[in-house]
Amino acid sequence: VQLQASGGGLVQAGGSLRLSCAASGLTVSRAAIGWFRQAPGKERQVVSAISRNGESRYYTDSVKGRFTISRDNAKNTVTLQMNSLKPEDTGVYYCAAGSRVILSQYTEPQAYTYWGQGTQVTVSS
Protein backbone atom coordinates (compact mmCIF):
# COMPACT_ATOMS: atom_id res chain seq x y z
CA VAL A 1 0.00 0.00 0.00
CA GLN A 2 1.25 3.45 -0.89
CA LEU A 3 -0.23 6.85 -0.17
CA GLN A 4 1.16 9.74 -2.16
CA ALA A 5 0.44 13.19 -0.74
CA SER A 6 0.94 16.19 -2.99
CA GLY A 7 -0.12 19.78 -3.48
CA GLY A 8 1.74 21.54 -0.72
CA GLY A 9 3.64 24.76 -1.20
CA LEU A 10 4.22 28.31 -0.06
CA VAL A 11 1.21 30.61 0.02
CA GLN A 12 0.35 33.94 1.57
CA ALA A 13 -2.20 34.18 4.35
CA GLY A 14 -5.69 34.17 2.91
CA GLY A 15 -4.66 31.99 0.00
CA SER A 16 -5.67 28.47 -0.93
CA LEU A 17 -4.06 25.13 -1.55
CA ARG A 18 -5.45 21.79 -2.63
CA LEU A 19 -3.82 18.68 -1.23
CA SER A 20 -4.30 15.29 -2.83
CA CYS A 21 -3.73 11.83 -1.46
CA ALA A 22 -3.43 9.20 -4.16
CA ALA A 23 -3.68 5.61 -3.01
CA SER A 24 -2.32 2.46 -4.58
CA GLY A 25 -2.81 -1.02 -3.24
CA LEU A 26 -5.77 0.25 -1.25
CA THR A 27 -9.26 1.32 -2.25
CA VAL A 28 -10.10 4.63 -0.61
CA SER A 29 -13.81 3.77 -0.52
CA ARG A 30 -12.97 0.89 1.79
CA ALA A 31 -10.94 2.88 4.30
CA ALA A 32 -11.21 5.91 6.49
CA ILE A 33 -8.78 8.55 5.30
CA GLY A 34 -7.34 11.21 7.54
CA TRP A 35 -5.23 14.30 6.99
CA PHE A 36 -2.79 15.12 9.76
CA ARG A 37 -0.60 18.14 10.29
CA GLN A 38 2.70 18.31 12.11
CA ALA A 39 4.06 21.72 12.91
CA PRO A 40 7.71 22.16 13.94
CA GLY A 41 8.24 20.96 17.49
CA LYS A 42 4.66 19.76 17.84
CA GLU A 43 2.86 16.45 17.74
CA ARG A 44 1.08 15.22 14.68
CA GLN A 45 -2.59 16.18 14.90
CA VAL A 46 -5.60 15.38 12.81
CA VAL A 47 -6.96 18.12 10.58
CA SER A 48 -9.75 16.28 8.81
CA ALA A 49 -11.00 12.78 8.14
CA ILE A 50 -13.58 11.05 5.99
CA SER A 51 -15.29 7.79 6.84
CA ARG A 52 -15.23 4.59 4.82
CA ASN A 53 -18.71 5.16 3.43
CA GLY A 54 -17.98 8.83 2.79
CA GLU A 55 -20.97 9.98 4.79
CA SER A 56 -19.10 11.26 7.83
CA ARG A 57 -16.52 14.01 7.79
CA TYR A 58 -14.47 15.30 10.69
CA TYR A 59 -12.77 18.69 10.95
CA THR A 60 -10.74 19.99 13.82
CA ASP A 61 -12.23 23.19 15.17
CA SER A 62 -9.51 25.47 13.82
CA VAL A 63 -10.23 24.55 10.18
CA LYS A 64 -14.02 24.30 10.19
CA GLY A 65 -15.51 26.46 7.48
CA ARG A 66 -12.15 26.79 5.71
CA PHE A 67 -11.13 23.23 4.78
CA THR A 68 -13.12 20.64 2.87
CA ILE A 69 -12.30 16.97 2.55
CA SER A 70 -13.62 15.00 -0.40
CA ARG A 71 -13.11 11.69 -2.09
CA ASP A 72 -12.96 10.65 -5.73
CA ASN A 73 -13.55 6.92 -5.91
CA ALA A 74 -12.86 6.76 -9.65
CA LYS A 75 -9.41 8.30 -9.18
CA ASN A 76 -8.88 6.57 -5.83
CA THR A 77 -7.85 9.85 -4.26
CA VAL A 78 -8.84 11.99 -1.29
CA THR A 79 -8.52 15.75 -1.52
CA LEU A 80 -8.22 18.43 1.12
CA GLN A 81 -9.23 21.85 -0.15
CA MET A 82 -7.75 24.51 2.10
CA ASN A 83 -9.05 28.06 1.85
CA SER A 84 -8.40 31.22 3.86
CA LEU A 85 -5.11 29.81 5.01
CA LYS A 86 -3.48 31.16 8.14
CA PRO A 87 0.15 31.08 9.29
CA GLU A 88 -0.85 28.60 11.99
CA ASP A 89 -1.83 26.14 9.25
CA THR A 90 1.87 25.76 8.45
CA GLY A 91 3.27 22.26 8.79
CA VAL A 92 3.85 18.97 7.07
CA TYR A 93 0.58 17.42 6.01
CA TYR A 94 0.25 13.66 5.95
CA CYS A 95 -2.57 11.50 4.68
CA ALA A 96 -3.29 8.26 6.44
CA ALA A 97 -5.63 5.34 5.85
CA GLY A 98 -7.17 2.67 7.99
CA SER A 99 -9.81 0.10 7.14
CA ARG A 100 -10.99 -0.24 10.73
CA VAL A 101 -10.96 3.36 11.91
CA ILE A 102 -14.26 4.32 13.49
CA LEU A 103 -15.64 7.78 14.19
CA SER A 104 -14.33 7.93 17.74
CA GLN A 105 -10.80 7.18 16.50
CA TYR A 106 -10.48 9.79 13.77
CA THR A 107 -8.18 11.94 15.90
CA GLU A 108 -5.85 9.10 16.89
CA PRO A 109 -2.79 8.63 14.66
CA GLN A 110 -2.29 5.11 15.98
CA ALA A 111 -5.67 4.07 14.60
CA TYR A 112 -4.43 4.47 11.03
CA THR A 113 -2.43 1.72 9.36
CA TYR A 114 -0.90 3.37 6.32
CA TRP A 115 0.80 6.75 5.98
CA GLY A 116 1.97 8.89 3.10
CA GLN A 117 5.28 10.71 3.03
CA GLY A 118 3.93 14.18 3.79
CA THR A 119 3.79 17.44 1.90
CA GLN A 120 4.97 20.78 3.25
CA VAL A 121 2.52 23.64 3.60
CA THR A 122 3.92 27.04 4.50
CA VAL A 123 1.65 30.03 5.00
CA SER A 124 3.37 33.38 5.22
CA SER A 125 1.88 36.33 7.06
Side-chain angles (χ1 to χ4, degrees), residues 26-107:
L26 173 144
T27 302
V28 295
S29 61
R30 297 180 180 176
I33 307 294
W35 281 99
F36 287 76
R37 175 174 65 209
Q38 187 163 22
K42 295 187 177 181
E43 294 184 350
R44 194 172 298 187
Q45 295 183 325
V46 70
V47 173
S48 181
I50 185 168
S51 63
R52 286 181 58 183
N53 62 11
E55 294 180 359
S56 297
R57 290 168 171 80
Y58 169 87
Y59 298 96
T60 194
D61 286 345
S62 63
V63 308
K64 286 181 180 176
R66 300 189 296 122
F67 290 12
T68 303
I69 191 169
S70 61
R71 190 173 73 190
D72 187 330
N73 293 338
K75 294 182 179 180
N76 209 34
T77 60
V78 173
T79 298
L80 185 67
Q81 178 67 43
M82 306 188 296
N83 298 327
S84 301
L85 283 162
K86 303 176 180 180
E88 50 264 43
D89 294 321
T90 293
V92 179
Y93 283 69
Y94 300 87
C95 61
S99 60
R100 299 183 179 182
V101 182
I102 59 176
L103 181 59
S104 62
Q105 297 173 319
Y106 282 173
T107 63

